[in-house]
Amino acid sequence: MALSAKRIILSLLGLFVILYGITIWWSVEPDVIHAKQMNDTQSKPLVGYATTSALIDTMETLLTKPGGWQSNDILLPTVMMDDMASFEFGALEQVRDLAGVMRKEFSRSQSQSSADPDLLGAHSKLNISHTSWLVPSSESEYQDAVKLLKLYRARMADPDNQDAQFYARADNLNEWLKEVQKRLGSLSQNLSASVGQDRLNTDLAGDSGARQSTPSHGTTQVKTSWWRIDNVFYETRGSAWALLNFMKAIEIDFADVLKKKNAEVSLRQIIRELEATQQPVWSPIILNGNGFGFVANHSLVMANYISRANAAVIDLTNLLTQG
């Protein structure tokens, strides 16, 4: 009986070690996509190729990294690995934003033009819930979206096909940057709320005639739960990772536009701040200290980089608008 109990304990211990090893392996975040992967193989870069490739490569990396797509897993050990699921969700939100702008702006010459059918289908499939695991599963829909994006890229690269286009214009780029501003602003607020703060209501600021549906308090207490702060942190890392991939592609496709507006430095500043968000996290847990307290607060450090990146995005938007 004692020998049998010992075997059971050793078996459970071995299983724990195996699961723990898998957890560590599957928790490794993907590397930033190199700009060379986004370039066209032709001598002269094809406008739109880098951005489309960055979107494809980012989504494929999320689907094929160790452990695959983990957000919808319901079995051990991934069901306990919420940090990587948060990373995936943050990256997916950026993918959705860019895919939407490609469908509505980058691929259309004017407001009366028709949306590209492949981009329309890809954007629709990317918007399925990231936690769907039955029918249809997240992976299958996202893989279909990647296939449609590849079809669009192939059609765009075909000189005999005039239907698929990518228009690199300042006004189109500005539309995407507006989405980036909103995303980064939201992430920055959630990260800063890790210490809790009284926030003034500025919903109607700047317009004396503005109104809202129901009245709200002048100040509100905002605080991200201690149980969620690591999820917010890794969601932000995933979002910044995907956005970094896209900014490097934008630098290639919109090179002429940026040069004309003398805005190359502003874009490089955004890239530099986003690269800082991808530094290794040496702490085994995400600490949630209070402001200038004794314990570090990783969320406030991340919020600093995100806020600086957002400020650089705003500067770039202004440069593109001023002409």
Side-chain angles (χ1 to χ4, degrees):
M1 182 67 69
L3 184 60
S4 178
K6 185 177 181 179
R7 287 178 177 174
I8 293 175
I9 293 174
L10 289 175
S11 297
L12 292 176
L13 182 61
L15 179 61
F16 173 79
V17 171
I18 292 173
L19 291 177
Y20 184 71
I22 292 175
T23 299
I24 294 176
W25 181 32
W26 288 2
S27 295
V28 176
E29 297 172 7
D31 294 330
V32 176
I33 298 173
H34 200 279
K36 288 183 178 179
Q37 295 178 238
M38 309 170 190
N39 278 321
D40 187 15
T41 55
Q42 302 174 15
S43 58
K44 183 179 180 180
L46 179 69
V47 174
Y49 191 94
T51 301
T52 308
S53 296
L55 187 59
I56 293 171
D57 293 343
T58 296
M59 203 63 227
E60 283 190 324
T61 300
L62 292 173
L63 294 171
T64 60
K65 68 183 186 321
W69 186 259
Q70 300 175 26
S71 296
N72 62 346
D73 287 352
I74 59 174
L75 300 176
L76 290 172
T78 47
V79 71
M80 303 297 294
M81 297 166 56
D82 59 340
D83 291 345
M84 181 50 70
S86 298
F87 183 95
E88 291 174 346
F89 178 69
L92 178 63
E93 289 285 81
Q94 291 290 354
V95 168
R96 288 169 171 169
D97 288 346
L98 180 56
V101 172
M102 284 186 63
R103 175 178 68 86
K104 293 182 290 185
E105 304 292 340
F106 290 166
S107 63
R108 301 177 66 185
S109 60
Q110 53 187 354
S111 59
Q112 288 79 22
S113 58
S114 301
D116 187 272
D118 289 333
L119 291 178
L120 184 63
H123 187 222
S124 176
K125 289 182 176 296
L126 287 170
N127 277 288
I128 189 176
S129 172
H130 65 293
T131 59
S132 177
W133 61 274
L134 200 53
V135 179
S137 66
S138 302
E139 295 99 321
S140 63
E141 292 295 288
Y142 299 157
Q143 287 167 355
D144 289 344
V146 168
K147 292 177 183 177
L148 289 171
L149 289 171
K150 288 181 177 180
L151 287 175
Y152 164 75
R153 185 177 62 180
R155 291 168 47 231
M156 181 177 60
D158 184 2
D160 296 327
N161 191 333
Q162 304 297 315
D163 295 332
Q165 297 289 343
F166 186 101
Y167 300 96
R169 302 196 309 260
D171 60 326
N172 283 352
L173 180 56
N174 247 340
E175 291 301 318
W176 177 62
L177 292 175
K178 290 176 183 177
E179 297 297 323
V180 172
Q181 287 181 39
K182 295 174 186 176
R183 188 69 62 189
L184 293 181
S186 176
L187 292 171
S188 177
Q189 292 286 354
N190 290 337
L191 288 166
S192 300
S194 62
V195 296
Q197 56 184 208
D198 289 327
R199 192 167 295 169
L200 297 176
N201 188 334
T202 59
D203 296 343
L204 304 180
D207 187 352
S208 59
R211 297 291 182 269
Q212 63 186 66
S213 302
T214 56
S216 55
H217 298 292
T219 60
T220 55
Q221 174 70 24
V222 180
K223 183 174 176 62
T224 301
S225 168
W226 183 85
W227 294 100
R228 287 194 63 253
I229 196 62
D230 63 324
N231 294 339
V232 173
F233 179 86
Y234 280 103
E235 178 185 338
T236 304
R237 273 178 75 89
S239 182
W241 171 79
L243 185 57
L244 180 55
N245 295 335
F246 301 154
M247 286 295 177
K248 289 185 175 183
I250 291 296
E251 188 176 23
I252 297 172
D253 282 334
F254 289 82
D256 292 340
V257 173
L258 295 169
K259 184 177 181 179
K260 180 180 179 181
K261 301 287 185 177
N262 198 23
E264 299 102 322
V265 176
S266 295
L267 181 59
R268 294 191 194 115
Q269 183 62 35
I270 298 171
I271 292 175
R272 177 174 295 184
E273 298 299 341
L274 292 175
E275 286 175 338
T277 67
Q278 302 303 300
Q279 298 177 66
V281 181
W282 298 110
S283 174
I285 59 174
I286 301 302
L287 299 177
N288 189 30
N290 292 320
F292 296 111
F294 181 76
V295 179
N297 190 306
H298 294 103
S299 298
L300 293 184
V301 175
M302 180 67 78
N304 173 61
Y305 292 129
I306 293 298
S307 297
R308 287 170 60 87
N310 198 21
V313 171
I314 294 173
D315 289 341
L316 178 57
T317 302
N318 292 334
L319 284 174
L320 294 174
T321 303
Q322 290 169 4

